[in-house]
Amino acid sequence: MNASSHPINLEMVARRLRFQLIRMSHAARTPHLGSALSCVDILVAAYWNVLRLDAQHPDDPSRDRFILSKGHAATALYATLAARGFFPEAWLETFAQHRAPLAEQPAPRCAPGVELATGSLGHGLPVGVGMALAARIQQLAFRVFVCLSDGECNEGTVWESAMFAPAQKLESLCVVIDYNKWQATGRSDEIMALPSLREKWAAFGWSAVEVDGHDLAELTRVLGAVPDGSGRPVAVIANTIKGKGISFMEDDNNWHYRIPKYAEVEAARQELGLS
Amino acid sequence: MRNAFAQQLTELAERDPRVVVLSGDIGNRLFDDLKARCPNRFFNCGVAEANMIGMAAGLALSGLRPVCYTIAPFITYRCLEQIRVDVCYHQAPVVIAGTGAGLAYASLGATHHSCEEMGMLRLLPGLAVVAPADAAEVRGALRAALRSPQPVYLRLGKKGEPVIHKTDPDFEIGKAITLREGTDICLLSAGTMLPVAIQAADLLEAQGHSTSVISFHTLKPLDEATLASAFSRCRLVVTLEEHSVLGGLGGSVAEWLADHPHPAKRLLRCGTADEFLHETANQQQAREYFGLTASRLLERIQAVLPSSTVQ
């Protein structure tokens, strides 16, 4: 699969997903919409162009793993998995309802394709390192992709893993940081000294690259290149915009918690060019 | 105890290709044999316990059987949330082995004591909490833990503990081992307090008290049948542990007793007090500080027995 041969289709996929997330947030009255919108293109590039997955065999031991460590963006993962056929799209309609399969943040084995219960930050990468190590021990060729938020890089566990994975030359492991420059209550570059994330990951021994996190072709190229031949795990610093795709949500951190009203859902629909 | 653990682990790892050993930069030379026999399945994870536990969950969720090993306080307190979320919430079959538990490293100070960790871990849904008494129980506990589909915490001492069991007992998680049957007093011992329990039982027997000694190695799941039998038979049940009287074996039994009242029966909890040990002390001195010696136990037991029955 190659994104560049279908750029228009995947861009439309991303638009539809964005609208789906907005609808889900509105219907279930759940927050974290800005965080979900910022990682949509990462998920589209990964799930449509990169990951070796079969929705009919979601537990295949040799499948690539994708962990959405920033579990608060779960709507983006759910909508992606549904669109890729892992479970019926109707499940999205009951999102966060009492006893529905899809909770506000993913529970263990809540739905086919969900690899890990996340929501507490800083857990996805250590578990992903374990999975990458398992691939080596079991002599399986699968790759492990872990999507972190920039705020999540405040957690010490991220840096424990960051030191361990290169020591083991876990080249089938890839971290993607959704670097939208905001965390819950402030600028991520100001609350902690994050910059330069690329230099930090490089200094820790990763093959670190910085990309436009909304450029599907670029994301496809760097994610698709894992393992990249360097013998090192790969860190992709994806520069993103929180609330991406909706003008009145972009880079406005109120949308970390705000829930869209009906009129805002409709305005978003128009902006996304969806009928 | 720790050598028995390493030897048994090496044998199991050699037999079962799913076994992976993660160490938190501890056990210098202890795993040399294992490293030689299973070179691709031993990892020194550095002084990064939270990452180690998360990795173990990832290994377990991929079909492997990880065994994590480092000093008890660091593999429990430091990474409690990883144990809770990555391991327990996912029911990932990880074995978490904490060495030098309780007061084993008393001389290193309270940073290295773990007298609260069983109480903490016992609260986590789906985690078995096991404190073997000697090398023989350690071997059995490790075999049982790796057979279990659930995560298990193994509480280990250090080395040189007296061996109580002449042969390896049938070890089942959640099934206490009775060493001595008595009808008056029942001593329930968790972990390495068992030799003290036996000494105390000898002293009690010498005074005419028929005394049971039970290695109550599993705090969770609780062996309720053994508790029911102990409280039916004996008028005094004593818990012994190198652990706070809050939340550990004593706490577990007290909770059970609240739900299963036995009128006219008495529970005495002997463990460490609800405090940090601030004085410089080796393990034996620390036990003395907390009254965890046979003679001190005898005094405490005599103090709670109705005077008319003391012979």
Side-chain angles (χ1 to χ4, degrees), chain A residues 65 106-109 115-117 120-123 125-127 129-131 133-134 136-138 142 157 160-161 164 168, chain B residues 17 20 22 40-41 43-45 48-51 54-55 57-59 61-64 81-82 85-86 89-91:
Chain A
R65 270 67 161 177
R109 294 171 278 274
E115 298 286 356
L116 194 70
S120 173
L121 298 176
H123 288 260
L125 185 52
V127 175
V129 172
M131 290 175 174
L133 204 55
R136 174 186 297 171
I137 293 167
Q138 295 166 320
F142 68 80
T157 49
E160 290 186 6
S161 298
F164 183 81
Q168 290 294 329
Chain B
V20 180
L22 308 179
N40 302 321
R41 286 184 285 130
F43 298 93
N44 185 343
C45 299
E49 296 80 9
N51 179 59
M55 277 174 45
L59 289 162
L61 293 174
S62 306
L64 296 170
E81 203 214 4
Q82 279 68 31
V85 173
D86 305 342
Y89 190 30
H90 290 87
Q91 277 297 284

Side-chain angles (χ1 to χ4, degrees), chain A residues 92-192:
Chain A
L92 303 178
E93 304 300 323
T94 60
F95 164 65
Q97 289 180 15
H98 186 211
R99 292 179 178 160
L102 305 178
E104 216 169 307
Q105 307 204 30
R109 294 171 278 274
C110 63
V114 175
E115 298 286 356
L116 194 70
T118 51
S120 173
L121 298 176
H123 288 260
L125 185 52
V127 175
V129 172
M131 290 175 174
L133 204 55
R136 174 186 297 171
I137 293 167
Q138 295 166 320
Q139 298 184 306
L140 295 171
F142 68 80
R143 302 168 297 172
V144 181
F145 296 84
V146 185
C147 181
L148 313 182
S149 72
D150 48 357
E152 185 168 9
C153 293
N154 296 5
E155 292 282 4
T157 49
V158 170
W159 302 101
E160 290 186 6
S161 298
M163 284 186 280
F164 183 81
Q168 290 294 329
K169 301 181 172 57
L170 290 178
E171 59 178 4
S172 63
L173 176 68
C174 175
V175 157
V176 188
I177 295 169
D178 178 8
Y179 194 8
N180 63 30
K181 320 295 186 293
W182 284 108
Q183 50 197 83
T185 63
R187 282 286 183 196
S188 48
D189 285 353
E190 294 170 1
I191 293 171
M192 293 284 201

Side-chain angles (χ1 to χ4, degrees), chain A residues 18 37-46 176-181 198 208-223 235-242 244-245 250:
Chain A
R18 285 196 160 88
L37 289 169
S38 78
C39 66
V40 164
D41 298 306
I42 294 166
L43 287 160
V44 169
V176 188
I177 295 169
D178 178 8
Y179 194 8
N180 63 30
K181 320 295 186 293
R198 195 200 62 75
V209 292
E210 197 157 355
V211 301
D212 175 347
H214 300 303
D215 183 329
L216 292 171
E218 206 178 349
L219 285 166
T220 299
R221 182 176 56 75
V222 296
L223 299 181
V236 177
I237 317 303
N239 288 303
T240 56
I241 296 168
K242 198 158 180 173
K244 169 71 180 178
E250 284 192 358

